[in-house]
Structures are given as C-alpha cells and as structure tokens.
Amino acid sequence: MGAGISIDDIYSLVSPKAKLLDSSGMLLHALSMPKYLSESIVRYKEDVSKLTLPDPSTFDGVVISGMGGSFISGLFLQDLASDRSSKAIILNRDVRLPRFIDEKKLLVAVSYSGNTEETLRIYLEGLRRNIPVVAVTSGGELAAVSEKLGKPVIRLPPGIPPRAAFPHLTAAIAALTSSVLGLDLLGELRRAIDELAKREDSVLSDGLALSRLLFSDVQNNLTPLIYGYSPYLSPAYRFKTQINENSKIHAFFGELPEVNHNEIMGWNGVLKSFTVVFVRGREEPKYMEARIEFLENLFDKNNIRFYNLHGNCEKRACELLSLIMKADVVSIALALLLGVDPTPVDTITQLKKFLDSKIGFSLHREIN
Ligand code: PA5
C-alpha cells in the first residue's frame, strides 16, 4: 500500500492494539480492493463469456437483487451507469419482485453466502415467472440449486466476509450486465484502478484522519449521520452500513435533496446528537452545492459537527471507488479505535439462525 508503507505500519498509525483486534484482516481487505477488483475483472469476463445467456439485445433492463453486503455493488453500478444507459437498472431488496419485471429483464440474484432467504425467494420467483436469472454467489443453496437446474451461476471465492467481497461482486455484476446496458463497465473499472493507484496514499490518510474525528465524536455520544446524493449514493450508503457492521454502532444515511424537505426540521428540535458527514464528488451540481452550503450554515449556527468526504479522481468510476475505500478505511479504523473486531456480525448471524428455525425456507424443497 502506497510508498513503502506496510500494513503493520498502518495498524500502528491507528492504535497499538489495532493489529491484534483485526482478526480476519479487514483493513487489508479494504486496502487491497483495487488489486482484487483488477483480478476479478479478468476472471469474471472469462466466466461470463462461458455462460449461455439470451442475446443482450433482447433485454430492456437488468434487475440486481441482494441484501446488505450483496446489495451495495448494484447501487455502485447504478451510480456509475444509470444516467448513461438507455436500459433500466432496477435494484431490489425485497422478498418479492414487482409485477412489471418480465422476461425482458436479466435478473441477477446476488448472495455472497448463497443462503440469504430474501435472495433465495427472489431467485425462486424469477424461475417461476420465466425471468432469465443468473446467480452470483460463493456457494450455499443458491449455487447448489442453480447447478442442479443447469442455470447460469457465477462463483465467487469462498471465505470472505460478504461486505469485503465488494470487488468480486462488483466485477461479477459488471461483467454480467455490461452488454445489456451497452457500456464497457469492465474497461471503465480497469481505467479507474489505474487512476486510483496514483491516489492510494491520500485515500489512506483521509480515511485515517476522519476515523479519528468520528472516534472523538462517538466518545461524546454523537451518532454518525451520512448524507449523500446521486451519483454518489453507493459510497454514502456503504459508509453507513460499514460503520454499522464494522464499528458496531448506529449510523444513519440520508439522501439529498430529499432530506431538506423533512429531516432538516429535526435540527430545530431536542434530538440532535449527530455528527454529519457529507459524501461529495467532483460532479456535484451547483444546485446541490447550494443545498449543502445552507446545511453547513445551519450546522454552524447550531453547533452541529460536520465533515466533508471528497473523492479525489477525475473520472466517476475512480471517484466512487476512492470514496468507498475511504469509507471502508474509516469504519474499520473506527472499530479498532473503539476496541472492536471489525469482522464478526454476531447479531446478523443469530437473526439468520432464528429465521431458519422459525421459517426454515429451503430453495431445494421449493423446487422439488
Ligand atoms: O455483510 C454482511 O455480512 C451482510 O450484510 C450480508 O451481506 C447480508 O446479511 C446478506 O448475506 P449474503 O451477502 O450472504 O447474501
């Protein structure tokens, strides 16, 4: 990472106990994102070329369905491509598909583990409604059933926390959807990695600096509130979810300009123990700049702490990646400063076990 700085040096920049706390090397996962993305682009381009899929011109859009760490890559691709493709990019996080989704959409069912009930139900519904469906997974029921039925599946490497599989998931989904969307998404990602390589030092230093500021705010009982806007929603939303899962604290996300029509009133009230981060990119339009300026003035008047997290690339793909890397570094360093291991997500695991015992949804059983 960067000019001769080792991972051990980076841990010691965070705190003396940081390395010991980070049981599965989450920090290294985050900092290796460009490398994993670069390898995945080659791998999934080849894997997708071997699948038998309908002619891309028969599709009028793609539906990307997944939860949590398996959702964010879809949002990233929507940020990257939706204002340039004439085809729809529909994201789904429900257990059902909207009625209008038909066989003219390519359904990409994304579950890193392959055992997430919501995504398995979507996969099943896709099969039952004859919607062309591709599974993206490291295994579980999703892989087993797809293979049993001879349906297309893209296999992810096993043994990674789902949210750390972001580069693999992103490259796999981009490889699957590029030809439908009529964009060279893999080429864009490859160029973004080259651009990002020149900026890795500032990604790390900006991330560590913000983690220290948020650590101090959290110790003063302030809850992070992340504000973002299109086309930078994926890093802003990723930031909130990474703080939740890595740092194990509450964090909330709001989308501009909508929050200015409701949430903004909350700053007049009694519940305002928040620290705000604006996630901002180079393509920020004047109308957004003015809205943020108003909020900054309001926060100054009300003694609300706020920060700006900027991307630092020319092109959108690189800017999104740099912001996601920074958000990841902040959330992991914040965890380590709080004395928390970023990797385990015990309560999510307990919930999944509880649902299994209560509902016991099985894709195998449903298809038999
Ligand atoms: O990061 C996580 O562990 C979660 O957000 C999971 O991604 C989420 O629970 C869905 O699981 P999966 O990605 O295995 O479908």
Side-chain angles (χ1 to χ4, degrees):
M1 176 83 208
I5 183 161
S6 71
I7 188 72
D8 285 356
D9 291 340
I10 300 170
Y11 279 124
S12 49
L13 287 174
V14 178
S15 82
K17 291 193 184 142
K19 189 180 173 190
L20 279 176
L21 275 170
D22 191 4
S23 70
S24 82
M26 195 62 102
L27 187 58
L28 192 57
H29 273 299
L31 297 174
S32 307
M33 188 251 269
K35 174 176 165 279
Y36 293 141
L37 188 56
S38 168
E39 291 166 0
S40 302
I41 287 169
V42 178
R43 176 175 169 183
Y44 297 120
K45 188 175 181 182
E46 198 185 325
D47 288 0
V48 168
S49 73
K50 291 182 193 150
L51 297 179
T52 310
L53 291 171
D55 182 338
S57 67
T58 60
F59 293 114
D60 64 8
V62 298
V63 182
I64 306 168
S65 198
M67 307 301 293
S70 292
F71 166 76
I72 197 76
S73 298
L75 188 58
F76 171 87
L77 292 172
Q78 194 177 59
D79 276 341
L80 184 61
S82 70
D83 58 352
R84 291 180 299 134
S85 176
S86 58
K87 306 280 179 81
I89 303 173
I90 298 152
L91 305 183
N92 185 69
R93 281 181 289 182
D94 199 353
V95 289
R96 292 187 312 173
L97 285 173
R99 190 66 230 138
F100 75 92
I101 308 287
D102 58 15
E103 70 291 345
K104 289 205 200 118
K105 309 277 183 302
L106 176 67
L107 173 59
V108 185
V110 190
S111 169
Y112 179 78
S113 63
N115 288 321
T116 297
E117 182 186 342
E118 292 90 336
T119 312
L120 295 179
R121 287 185 186 273
I122 290 298
Y123 185 83
L124 181 65
E125 193 176 341
L127 290 181
R128 288 188 172 150
R129 285 167 52 180
N130 287 323
I131 298 165
V133 54
V134 185
V136 175
T137 184
S138 70
E141 273 210 292
L142 192 53
V145 168
S146 304
E147 277 163 9
K148 185 174 170 187
L149 297 177
K151 297 284 177 191
V153 53
I154 294 291
R155 283 278 198 162
L156 304 165
I160 306 170
R163 59 197 181 280
F166 170 79
H168 309 274
L169 290 159
T170 302
I173 302 170
L176 278 167
T177 58
S178 277
S179 55
V180 175
L181 299 175
L183 296 168
D184 177 19
L185 295 176
L186 294 180
E188 287 182 37
L189 290 175
R190 206 175 309 108
R191 289 187 287 280
I193 296 163
D194 293 341
E195 198 185 344
L196 189 56
K198 297 176 206 138
R199 291 169 169 86
E200 283 183 0
D201 289 346
S202 61
V203 167
L204 180 64
S205 55
D206 288 359
L208 293 182
L210 184 55
S211 71
R212 290 184 200 110
L213 293 166
L214 288 184
F215 175 56
S216 153
D217 291 348
V218 169
Q219 285 186 309
N220 288 317
N221 287 320
L222 300 180
T223 304
L225 176 52
I226 315 296
Y227 281 158
Y229 56 85
S230 178
Y232 307 104
L233 292 173
S234 54
Y237 184 65
R238 166 81 165 181
F239 199 176
K240 170 250 188 292
T241 60
Q242 288 287 74
I243 293 176
N244 298 148
E245 292 188 57
N246 291 334
S247 324
K248 279 79 163 159
I249 55 171
H250 274 305
F252 297 94
F253 159 78
E255 184 173 341
L256 285 160
E258 173 61 17
V259 296
N260 283 349
H261 298 274
N262 33 65
E263 195 164 301
I264 198 170
M265 293 312 301
W267 302 110
N268 293 5
V270 287
L271 298 175
K272 46 189 178 192
S273 300
F274 292 101
T275 174
V276 178
V277 183
F278 294 104
V279 174
R280 308 179 73 164
R282 201 173 287 269
E283 292 176 62
E284 181 171 293
K286 280 267 173 267
Y287 71 80
M288 190 57 72
E289 202 183 319
R291 282 158 171 81
I292 294 178
E293 189 183 331
F294 180 89
L295 287 175
E296 288 179 335
N297 292 337
L298 185 71
F299 294 162
D300 276 336
K301 262 188 245 144
N302 286 280
N303 292 320
I304 307 292
R305 296 180 66 81
F306 68 88
Y307 311 101
N308 288 296
L309 188 67
H310 290 278
N312 36 5
C313 303
E314 298 292 330
K315 293 268 173 29
R316 190 189 298 175
C318 176
E319 197 152 50
L320 288 168
L321 291 176
S322 75
L323 282 166
I324 285 177
M325 263 182 98
K326 282 185 195 183
D328 287 3
V329 168
V330 176
S331 67
I332 296 161
L334 179 59
L336 300 172
L337 286 166
L338 289 166
V340 167
D341 181 349
T343 298
V345 280
D346 297 347
T347 314
I348 298 177
T349 310
Q350 284 160 19
L351 167 76
K352 289 180 178 175
K353 283 194 183 138
F354 175 80
L355 293 174
D356 202 29
S357 70
K358 285 288 254 199
I359 298 167
F361 179 83
S362 159
L363 190 56
H364 274 110
R365 208 173 37 239
E366 293 291 334
I367 58 153
N368 281 326

